Amino acid sequence: MDSSRISIRPFRLSDANDFFSWAKDDRLTQYLRWNTITSREEALKYLKDVAIPHPWRRSICLDDHSIGYISIRPESGDDQHRAHVGYGVGVEYWGQGIVTMALKMAISSVFKEFSYLVRLEALVEEENKGSQRVLEKAGFQKEGFLRKYGFNKGEIRDMYIYSFLSTDKIV
Amino acid sequence: KSINFQPYIFEPVFVKQKQMEHKEVDDEFSDITLRLFDLSDIDDFMEWATDDQVSRFCSWETYTSKEAATNHIVDVVIPHPWYRAICLKDRAIGAISVTPNEGNDICRAELGYVLGSKYWGKGIVSRAVQMVASTVFIEWPHLERLEALVDVNNPGSQRVLEKAGFQREGVLRKYFLQKGKSRDAVIFSLLSTDPKVNSFM
């Protein structure tokens, strides 16, 4: 994939159709905390109520069309030096290095924007090998295996924890 | 809102470690019980809360006033979902807490503990942790994972967890930012399905 075609930017209401086309896919949302979007109305509402007001959520774009998202959420209070990273991209775009590219863009951008940020962390389910590869290619370090860490879509799941520090080098 | 209270003990590495491990718990220090805090515990609370040695690996600053300590007991300790005084002959010498997560993540809770420095090295926190481990999963049937985060430079506290059967899962880099310095943390977990160490000997 030609990296000049990939960009990250804030979501717009006009992304609703593109957003709906990937957010309605269970194969994408199965590992995410949010539920599959089931209608265009819901897609528009989600953009308006969640994606756009979010402190740091970006659309991953191919030729300026939304094909996925990256979200960075700092912890609150004393832990705000730590932020959680989440991402997803339409199934037809998997395996082309797109999320890795977008993640690298996001990393350099977010450490500049939030100067107090020290640590980005990501939690990935054991069977989600694709997502583990994305993080490793972007330079995240795998730190450990957390047993029965979190509840998602009806089950308590084991997860790998990865991190990227403000002092780490973007590969 | 869940309270992020992460107190840890520090056992000086140069104290006869091997001897400590094989030594049986002194009879004098085996009458350990856990109970709820009360405002009348304030003076005992101040004993460790004002001690720099104790706060060293903790997220909180050493307390300098009885008023601040009282506010902490009223605002944080008493309303907390699971917070107990570690008592020797019913006098509070430390504290142990289990802080649950919110929403769907209530399957997971974080263990924290603190002990007055003159009681270190006698297996007291180990005993308290083992007591908690053998009862909290029964008290909270929805709990599947009890985790603890310990500073990499606090081997005494890591040993407490290992002795209680916790599994070391990894090192989280720059996990804590305490008093302006970032610190790495070792993450440990004990599952409801893991074997529990029996402390009632």
Side-chain angles (χ1 to χ4, degrees), chain A:
Chain A
M1 170 60 63
D2 175 9
S3 61
S4 65
R5 297 176 66 194
I6 302 298
S7 60
I8 59 172
R9 59 156 173 78
F11 275 98
R12 304 165 188 154
L13 289 175
S14 52
D15 289 324
N17 283 338
D18 290 333
F19 172 67
F20 180 52
S21 69
W22 54 263
K24 67 182 189 209
D25 195 337
D26 281 339
R27 290 171 297 173
L28 170 58
T29 62
Q30 64 170 314
Y31 293 121
L32 304 181
R33 285 301 177 101
W34 44 278
N35 293 321
T36 319
I37 302 286
T38 54
S39 70
R40 279 193 175 79
E41 293 72 42
E42 211 187 311
L44 195 57
K45 188 170 194 304
Y46 189 90
L47 286 179
K48 194 155 83 71
D49 297 345
V50 182
I52 290 169
H54 192 284
W56 207 99
R57 182 167 289 192
R58 297 289 181 264
S59 170
I60 299 175
C61 294
L62 173 65
D63 304 327
D64 206 39
H65 279 284
S66 179
I67 59 164
Y69 82 101
I70 287 188
S71 208
I72 292 176
R73 181 178 44 86
E75 301 282 349
S76 55
D78 287 338
D79 298 329
Q80 59 171 354
H81 65 287
R82 282 199 320 260
H84 181 85
V85 180
Y87 47 81
V89 88
V91 173
E92 58 270 45
Y93 300 107
W94 289 1
Q96 299 177 47
I98 292 173
V99 181
T100 301
M101 276 182 229
L103 205 44
K104 291 183 190 179
M105 292 177 199
I107 291 168
S108 52
S109 178
V110 88
F111 281 125
K112 286 194 195 98
E113 265 183 70
F114 302 118
S115 56
Y116 50 81
L117 206 52
V118 168
R119 171 185 168 89
L120 292 177
E121 54 186 32
L123 292 158
V124 188
E125 292 172 44
E126 213 209 333
E127 54 290 7
N128 194 350
K129 307 291 185 202
S131 191
Q132 291 163 32
R133 263 196 307 278
V134 163
L135 293 169
E136 283 153 16
K137 288 196 312 193
F140 277 70
Q141 225 179 86
K142 184 190 280 197
E143 292 172 329
F145 184 67
L146 310 182
R147 306 175 301 153
K148 296 213 181 150
Y149 191 75
F151 188 86
N152 195 23
K153 306 271 179 346
E155 272 178 40
I156 295 176
R157 294 150 183 250
D158 299 331
M159 305 208 175
Y160 282 110
I161 185 163
Y162 285 81
S163 72
F164 194 100
L165 304 184
S166 56
T167 45
D168 286 344
K169 290 244 167 346
I170 297 174
V171 173

Side-chain angles (χ1 to χ4, degrees), chain B residues 175-188:
Chain B
Y175 190 79
F176 297 129
L177 185 64
Q178 286 170 4
K179 298 150 186 169
K181 277 197 74 180
S182 56
R183 294 164 174 264
D184 296 348
V186 186
I187 184 164
F188 287 86

